[in-house]
Amino acid sequence: MLNRHARGFFTALFSPVARWLLRIGVSPDAVTVVGTLGVVIGALVFYPLGQLWWGTLFITAFIFSDVIDGIMARMQHRGGRWGNFLDSTLDRVADGALFAGLAVWFFTGGANPPIAIAAIVCLVLGMVVSYARAKAEALGFHANVGIAERAERLVSVLVVTGFTGLGLPVVVLFVTLCLLAAASLVTVIQRIVTVHRQSLEEPEGTTPERAG
């Protein structure tokens, strides 16, 4: 939802940056990789040290690479499968690092195991949300539905985590993570139901073997 509504705004905002990067010879793939490395460093270095505010600022500085690389690819007319694969794969790495960093801090110096557990649950369910769509599309279905897509997950976690570092009560972060986990679970169920309905419309004898 947020992706669709914000795409036009961010495209206009970052197009000059994308155009400049292409002009100096930077590739969309390089932006994807550097952006992911920045997010991973911010999440796995700053967060475990308890630097939630500075870590969030650091991550935010790199998170928009996910927008810029797409703009660059469109400018080069390179919306191919390789770029899509690389972008989606590294998105999972970045998301995993984000929630893992929170879990490490709140299991250790943050001394709040409920928040750490909630972060791990969000990590797992977020991966399942993405996998459900990818697997559905690999089988010829569509599963682009749900109330907790990646943009919503990132914005909610980063905003609340950052302000927690400035003194916002940690209970707000706990509630946010719980709501996010619940929304992710609902999204997984929505995608399963959507694919199941499509499967019922398939002709008999077209069902592939189950994967292990």
Side-chain angles (χ1 to χ4, degrees):
M1 181 171 60
L2 184 61
N3 285 331
R4 292 188 292 271
H5 292 304
R7 185 174 299 157
F9 170 76
F10 284 116
T11 296
L13 181 65
F14 289 113
S15 285
V17 177
R19 197 172 292 110
W20 175 75
L21 289 171
L22 289 173
R23 190 161 54 244
I24 65 173
V26 178
S27 70
D29 290 351
V31 172
T32 302
V33 172
V34 170
T36 301
L37 287 175
V39 173
V40 170
I41 290 170
L44 297 183
V45 174
F46 287 93
Y47 281 179
L49 294 175
Q51 299 293 328
L52 302 183
W53 170 249
W54 292 112
T56 297
L57 288 184
F58 190 90
I59 290 168
T60 302
F62 287 93
I63 205 74
F64 290 109
S65 66
D66 197 42
V67 177
I68 296 172
D69 60 5
I71 298 172
M72 293 170 68
R74 288 192 293 274
M75 287 179 173
Q76 288 189 321
H77 305 289
R78 287 179 51 191
R81 291 184 294 176
W82 159 248
N84 188 292
F85 169 80
L86 180 67
D87 191 58
S88 296
T89 300
L90 294 186
D91 280 351
R92 306 291 81 74
V93 174
D95 293 356
L98 179 63
F99 289 107
L102 285 175
V104 170
W105 168 244
F106 284 105
F107 268 134
T108 55
N112 197 317
I115 291 181
I117 293 170
I120 292 175
V121 172
C122 286
L123 189 159
V124 173
L125 288 174
M127 296 299 174
V128 177
V129 166
S130 299
Y131 176 80
R133 178 177 174 180
K135 184 64 176 180
E137 292 176 350
L139 293 172
F141 299 114
H142 66 83
N144 189 19
V145 297
I147 61 173
E149 296 186 4
R150 184 173 187 260
E152 285 88 342
R153 297 198 299 270
L154 285 179
V155 170
S156 59
V157 170
L158 287 174
V159 169
V160 178
T161 298
F163 282 110
T164 298
L166 290 179
L168 186 71
V170 293
V171 66
V172 178
L173 178 58
F174 176 68
V175 171
T176 299
L177 290 171
C178 289
L179 291 174
L180 180 58
S184 297
L185 179 59
V186 171
T187 298
V188 171
I189 294 172
Q190 287 177 302
R191 292 184 173 182
I192 291 173
V193 170
T194 297
V195 172
H196 182 251
R197 287 174 178 167
Q198 294 171 67
S199 71
L200 295 178
E201 299 172 359
E202 286 189 303
E204 292 186 9
T206 61
T207 305
E209 293 183 4
R210 290 176 181 264

